[in-house]
Amino acid sequence: MSWLLKLYETYEDNLGMVGKKEVKRNGQEYTLLPVSHTTQTAHIEVMITEDGNFHSAVLLDKSNGNTLIPSSENSASRAGSIIAPYPLHDKLSYVAGDFVAYGGKIKKEEPFSYYIAQLKEWAESKYATNTVKSIYQYLNKRCLIKDLVEERILWLDQNGQLISKLDKATEEYLGEKPPIFSTVTGGQESAFIRFSVYSPSVVITKPWDDIELYNSFISFYQDLLGKEELCYVTGKMLPSTEKHANKIRNAGDKAKLISANDSSGFTYKGRFLKPTEAVNISYEVSQKAHNALKWLINKQAKIIDQRVFLVWGSEVPDLLEDTWALITGENTQEEEESKVGSYTFEHSAREVSKAISGYKSDLSLNENVQIMVLDSATTGRMAVLYYRSINKSTYLDNLKEWHLTCTWQHRYRKNNNGEVISFFGASSLKDIAFAAYGSKVNEKVVKGMMERMLPCIIDGRIIPEDVIRSAFYRASNPVLMEPWEWEKTLSICCSLFNKKEEGYSVALDKTNTNRDYLFGRLLAIADVLERRALEGDNRATNARRFMSSFAQHPERTWLTIQKALQPYQARLGEKVWFYNKLIDEVGSMINPEDFNNKPLSGKYLLGFYSQRHDILQKKDKQLVTEEILEAEGEI
């Protein structure tokens, strides 16, 4: 229950955000929902006058349809043929008193009778607002469909009945395709109606933005809740509930985290007589915890193939992002661009330390960071796959250690001008997954790998060997990828091996006599030499075409590569002596006994990258190959 308690406390700590609209990057609005409220996508807005008469109606597009509505326990979890009306806004079959008169089909009883009785009870209570009274007064006249037909929102067939399905004969009769059929999925009877009150003299707040109306229903519904029982989350005596919220990840999500409606299965049978004996959660805690979770997911979660990765706490950095995101935070574009030119590993280390220190500045001893992973196996059930509550100081220290040890130079980020940003640090978990399995891999593989990598950051565990091995094989096969993708895969693979081996840096270590490292240096020199000789020809060099074979049989493959280099060496003329000297220098450092066909480890990629980087840093800029610059520029 600890995660439920933390979510409940998060809601209590953010009461000032309840009902306030926020906007995601994609432009979609979200809010911290009030208790006893949910969201629905409305298709039609009906405006009522203050004295309870019809004023007008409009069709809503998807961008304007998201509506915050009052909700009871039963309506929030209704399904199938169960009649459970929402308290104010609902589908046409519930809110239209003339639904049956216009040919509307109902399965058993008339839903409107339940709806209007419920609305009457609220409208006549001491908590009712003028808005609720006006809407009730109008709907009690049972003329909604009549008014919407006259407003040309709903349409009738030749027999004066509500059209449930638009066929060719009906369309010919109407002479056009009514807009309602492009707005609503299914027939007109499935249209969701929201109500507002119009006044020519006074500005009246829309019900879905009206805090007074929120509180009106919360107070009204509180009186209807059952007897108080012990809440297992807070330890207090509060009204309990057996029905818990869905729509956790999005408006169409039917999966629930807490459910005990399978009395014929193995949910609690054999151990308890009723579900509340297994666990008893108060209505208030359930509402606030689930609403806080929905808010946090909209605000800051990463969702991969419906699996939710969520980290929350008091001003904490996201463990799923890369070093650049950690360092820059909310920096402006100009500040980001100013850093690019002189960005080094030492600079990165200072910036990471500075960022972590900033997060620690207001640290209190009892602050914790919550880490949660959610996913659903079926459409109706969701599970907490991973949950940790970790001290904020420990979390920041472990995050800092990750970004300073799983580090390499990366060139795959862009600024707002589309220019490539070079940064030193760790990659995001999603980028590591793409490096290991390819950018076109199934998202199920990506989310599984990201979950496995979480303990590597949070607890400092060793990176799974199969992840490193997969990245190694892909980085050793550049011909299977576009140049930009291979460059990205190579740098990420180097960061993983650097985390595993420790102590390596992008700067070339000319004293390193490790066999694999030296073989990697040789391959890099051959690659740069041939690319320089090709002068703008973008075909793959022999060094890259034979890279996979070189990793498995370095001695045999190097002889093949060196023979293939001869025409390119001749084409370079005097400039070739720089490369020949490097080849001789590196080759002489390899122990003759080590010059064999034993497969290379990932250290050869470190040597390859560092040797190539060293050539890029030479004062003689003519030695910088066009191919490398083009590959970086395409990312």
Side-chain angles (χ1 to χ4, degrees):
M1 291 295 115
S2 59
W3 59 270
L4 266 177
L5 178 61
K6 290 298 180 183
L7 287 169
Y8 171 76
E9 292 173 349
T10 300
Y11 190 97
E12 292 292 302
D13 292 340
N14 291 275
L15 289 175
M17 298 301 296
V18 174
K20 291 186 177 180
K21 290 184 179 179
E22 299 178 69
V23 182
K24 293 195 284 188
R25 289 183 179 179
N26 61 4
Q28 184 179 350
E29 292 182 344
Y30 68 96
T31 187
L32 180 56
L33 295 173
V35 172
S36 305
H37 285 73
T38 187
T39 55
Q40 279 284 358
T41 301
H43 305 109
I44 301 171
E45 180 179 341
V46 176
M47 282 158 275
I48 311 299
T49 62
E50 292 177 278
D51 55 357
N53 293 313
F54 178 85
H55 177 270
S56 59
V58 292
L59 282 173
L60 302 170
D61 56 33
K62 289 184 179 180
S63 61
N64 296 322
N66 192 41
T67 309
L68 196 158
I69 65 172
S71 174
S72 63
E73 288 182 275
N74 293 331
S75 61
S77 57
R78 77 184 184 196
S81 59
I82 297 174
I83 299 177
Y86 284 108
L88 189 61
H89 316 283
D90 212 325
K91 288 187 175 183
L92 185 66
S93 58
Y94 277 95
V95 299
D98 52 351
F99 182 73
V100 176
Y102 279 92
K105 296 178 181 179
I106 57 175
K107 294 183 178 180
K108 294 180 180 179
E109 300 175 82
E110 185 183 12
F112 176 76
S113 60
Y114 287 83
Y115 168 82
I116 201 67
Q118 181 176 269
L119 183 58
K120 179 182 179 181
E121 190 175 356
W122 180 15
E124 294 179 352
S125 72
K126 62 182 179 180
Y127 306 108
T129 65
N130 290 331
T131 295
V132 175
K133 293 176 181 178
S134 297
I135 294 172
Y136 167 71
Q137 187 177 348
Y138 167 70
L139 292 176
N140 199 37
K141 297 176 181 178
R142 298 174 176 256
C143 58
L144 178 61
I145 292 181
K146 172 181 172 293
D147 292 334
L148 289 178
V149 170
E150 292 177 355
E151 197 75 3
R152 296 179 66 82
I153 298 294
L154 298 180
W155 298 77
L156 306 178
D157 60 17
Q158 300 94 319
N159 300 318
Q161 301 294 293
L162 199 65
I163 300 171
S164 60
K165 184 178 180 182
L166 191 65
D167 52 27
K168 284 186 178 181
T170 306
E171 194 167 348
E172 289 177 2
Y173 165 73
L174 298 175
E176 60 179 332
K177 180 180 179 180
I180 183 68
F181 289 97
S182 300
T183 303
V184 179
T185 301
Q188 296 179 101
E189 66 277 2
S190 61
F192 195 96
I193 317 294
R194 72 184 188 189
F195 300 96
S196 61
V197 176
Y198 170 82
S199 173
S201 57
V202 181
V203 177
I204 299 177
T205 305
K206 299 289 188 180
W208 46 92
D209 295 326
D210 190 351
I211 295 177
E212 183 185 356
L213 191 140
Y214 299 162
N215 294 330
S216 165
F217 182 73
I218 292 171
S219 300
F220 166 71
Y221 193 67
Q222 191 72 28
D223 290 349
L224 303 180
L225 295 176
K227 65 177 182 178
E228 294 184 346
E229 297 182 54
L230 178 66
C231 174
Y232 285 20
V233 177
T234 61
K236 299 177 181 179
M237 297 298 291
L238 296 166
S240 65
T241 183
E242 295 180 15
K243 298 176 180 179
H244 303 274
N246 53 16
K247 302 181 184 178
I248 293 171
R249 292 169 294 189
N250 52 65
D253 188 12
K254 299 299 182 183
K256 292 185 177 184
L257 275 169
I258 307 171
S259 179
N261 62 356
D262 187 13
S263 58
S264 61
F266 298 97
T267 304
Y268 52 85
K269 193 174 182 181
R271 292 177 179 267
F272 308 102
L273 294 176
K274 54 183 181 178
T276 52
E277 292 180 359
V279 59
N280 191 47
I281 301 171
S282 68
Y283 176 77
E284 180 187 358
V285 167
S286 176
Q287 284 282 305
K288 291 184 175 180
H290 281 90
N291 288 349
L293 180 57
K294 295 175 187 180
W295 180 62
L296 289 168
I297 289 174
N298 278 310
K299 191 178 185 67
Q300 61 202 55
K302 299 289 187 302
I303 302 179
I304 309 293
D305 190 36
Q306 296 302 304
R307 180 165 296 180
V308 175
F309 296 85
L310 177 63
V311 180
W312 82 93
S314 176
E315 295 296 323
V316 293
D318 192 344
L319 61 82
L320 302 178
E321 289 290 358
D322 58 26
T323 304
W324 183 258
L326 171 65
I327 291 175
T328 56
E330 296 182 357
N331 281 0
T332 63
Q333 176 185 331
E334 290 73 23
E335 290 173 323
E336 291 178 359
E337 291 174 351
S338 67
K339 293 182 178 182
V340 175
S342 60
Y343 205 67
T344 63
F345 173 73
E346 291 75 16
H347 183 105
S348 172
R350 289 196 303 270
E351 292 297 320
V352 168
S353 299
K354 190 188 302 182
I356 295 299
S357 298
Y359 284 112
K360 282 185 175 181
S361 60
D362 60 344
L363 181 65
S364 61
L365 295 177
N366 61 349
E367 282 190 275
N368 275 25
V369 176
Q370 320 303 322
I371 304 157
M372 178 182 282
V373 180
L374 305 170
D375 205 352
S376 57
T378 67
T379 55
R381 297 289 183 273
M382 186 183 297
V384 178
L385 303 183
Y386 181 93
Y387 176 73
R388 281 286 302 278
S389 180
I390 185 171
N391 180 267
K392 182 177 178 181
S393 180
T394 303
Y395 171 82
L396 293 175
D397 287 340
N398 291 345
L399 190 63
K400 176 181 176 181
E401 178 70 12
W402 169 262
H403 284 276
L404 292 182
T405 55
C406 188
T407 184
W408 205 253
Q409 183 186 38
H410 304 287
R411 294 178 178 270
Y412 56 80
R413 267 189 171 270
K414 288 183 179 180
N415 60 20
N416 293 338
N417 293 329
E419 299 167 340
V420 176
I421 295 173
S422 173
F423 73 96
F424 284 80
S427 297
S428 68
L429 293 188
K430 190 172 183 180
D431 283 328
I432 291 175
F434 287 152
Y437 305 113
S439 58
K440 296 181 180 179
V441 67
N442 190 297
E443 286 194 333
K444 291 183 179 180
V445 177
V446 175
K447 69 181 183 182
M449 197 227 73
M450 289 176 64
E451 184 182 346
R452 292 173 60 208
M453 289 287 289
L454 286 179
C456 302
I457 304 176
I458 300 167
D459 301 315
R461 294 184 186 176
I462 298 173
I463 298 174
E465 188 62 33
D466 62 293
V467 174
I468 299 178
R469 186 166 56 249
S470 296
F472 170 76
Y473 288 142
R474 293 193 74 248
S476 297
N477 280 277
V479 294
L480 300 180
M481 294 173 271
E482 294 293 329
W484 67 266
E485 185 180 0
W486 175 70
E487 289 285 347
K488 181 177 181 178
T489 301
L490 175 63
S491 65
I492 293 175
C493 185
C494 287
S495 69
L496 297 178
F497 272 103
N498 192 31
K499 174 68 176 176
K500 178 182 178 182
E501 301 290 341
E502 297 185 4
Y504 283 86
S505 69
V506 175
L508 181 64
D509 184 0
K510 295 183 179 180
T511 63
N512 192 329
T513 58
N514 179 272
R515 166 186 178 270
D516 299 351
Y517 190 84
L518 293 173
F519 267 118
R521 290 183 61 186
L522 284 177
L523 188 66
I525 299 167
D527 178 54
V528 175
L529 186 159
E530 185 174 342
R531 179 55 60 200
R532 176 65 178 165
L534 287 172
E535 294 182 342
D537 189 338
N538 291 327
R539 68 188 180 194
T541 63
N542 285 291
R544 298 197 186 185
R545 290 196 297 112
F546 290 112
M547 197 169 182
S548 179
S549 177
F550 183 80
Q552 299 301 315
H553 310 285
E555 177 194 12
R556 186 178 70 193
T557 310
W558 176 247
L559 295 176
T560 303
I561 293 173
Q562 197 163 33
K563 287 179 182 178
L565 280 178
Q566 292 177 3
Y568 302 105
Q569 289 171 318
R571 187 181 299 181
L572 282 178
E574 292 294 326
K575 295 178 182 179
V576 77
W577 294 112
F578 172 82
Y579 299 102
N580 288 345
K581 181 181 177 181
L582 277 178
I583 291 174
D584 293 343
E585 179 185 321
V586 176
S588 65
M589 295 175 67
I590 301 178
N591 190 315
E593 295 179 358
D594 292 334
F595 201 85
N596 53 43
N597 281 314
K598 179 183 176 182
L600 301 175
S601 69
K603 291 180 182 178
Y604 99 92
L605 292 174
L606 302 178
F608 177 89
Y609 193 105
S610 295
Q611 178 64 73
R612 196 181 62 163
H613 177 75
D614 185 69
I615 296 176
L616 283 171
Q617 302 304 310
K618 293 296 181 183
K619 291 182 179 180
D620 183 2
K621 299 297 183 181
Q622 295 301 316
L623 294 174
V624 179
T625 66
E626 296 295 331
E627 188 274 341
I628 293 173
L629 290 178
E630 289 172 5
E632 292 171 353
E634 290 171 6
I635 299 174

